[in-house]
Amino acid sequence: GYLISNKHNLFAFNAKMGLLGSYNDNIGTSPFERFELGGDGLSNQTIGITGKDIISLRGYEVQDLAENQEGGAALFNKFTMEMRYPLSLNPSSTIYGLAFIQGGNSWAGFEDYNPFNLRRSAGLGARIFLPMFGLLGFDYGWGFDKTGNYGRLSVVLGFEPD
């Protein structure tokens, strides 16, 4: 990621990419440790034997991306641009408002890969840091590339999800 900051405003640019490969083309890509893109990074942690790397995508549910229904993806891209503005810099409760735009998608492999086919979203949120509790955050994102209910509330507890 890349940060641009003056005394109080903060711009963050972030790109995340993941690739799961194989050593033997006859066997193919492993069904274990695949990527699951979507959701808030917390509520889509289900128990299973394959294990998945959970990547949040604000504004989208886990079931909004087709590769998640197939057991996870072997390849993903996610790009984020975020601006935070401090509402309170008091050390006992630091509060930031934020605006973000985000794009990401997942694919089964290189044969399906298209870096310009992204699920796009934008939204607003807040981060509250309380020393006794830790980080608490709320984001409301609008997914532009889905049908039906466009908005989705995400909750952040303790850490910023990937």
Side-chain angles (χ1 to χ4, degrees):
Y2 184 69
L3 298 174
I4 299 173
S5 176
N6 65 13
K7 193 167 194 161
H8 298 291
N9 298 333
L10 175 74
F11 287 98
F13 304 93
N14 200 347
K16 293 182 188 266
M17 298 171 195
L19 170 66
L20 179 63
S22 64
Y23 289 111
N24 187 340
D25 289 336
N26 294 332
I27 296 174
T29 308
S30 170
F32 300 101
E33 299 299 326
R34 294 197 167 240
F35 303 108
E36 186 174 87
L37 191 65
D40 56 12
L42 296 173
S43 61
N44 52 333
Q45 295 184 5
T46 58
I47 297 173
I49 61 168
T50 58
K52 294 180 184 170
D53 193 3
I54 300 167
I55 312 296
S56 70
L57 186 62
R58 296 177 276 195
Y60 289 91
E61 297 282 349
V62 175
Q63 54 270 29
D64 290 337
L65 280 80
E67 287 304 319
N68 295 336
Q69 308 307 317
E70 304 294 324
L75 179 65
F76 85 93
N77 285 350
K78 180 179 143 184
F79 306 99
T80 305
M81 185 171 65
E82 186 173 291
M83 184 186 94
R84 292 187 181 187
Y85 183 79
L87 302 173
S88 169
L89 294 173
N90 186 345
S92 64
S93 65
T94 307
I95 303 171
Y96 285 92
L98 64 91
F100 67 88
I101 58 174
Q102 201 166 46
N105 206 348
S106 57
W107 299 273
F110 275 120
E111 53 280 345
D112 302 328
Y113 180 64
N114 181 356
F116 302 107
N117 180 16
L118 298 176
R119 306 288 183 174
R120 301 162 296 162
S121 65
L124 301 171
R127 296 289 183 274
I128 303 164
F129 181 77
L130 303 168
M132 294 295 286
F133 182 75
L135 181 69
L136 177 63
F138 302 97
D139 293 327
Y140 193 83
W142 290 273
F144 300 126
D145 301 307
K146 67 182 198 174
T147 58
N149 185 7
Y150 293 103
R152 183 179 188 296
L153 179 68
S154 298
V155 178
V156 176
L157 293 173
F159 65 95
E160 294 279 347
D162 281 338

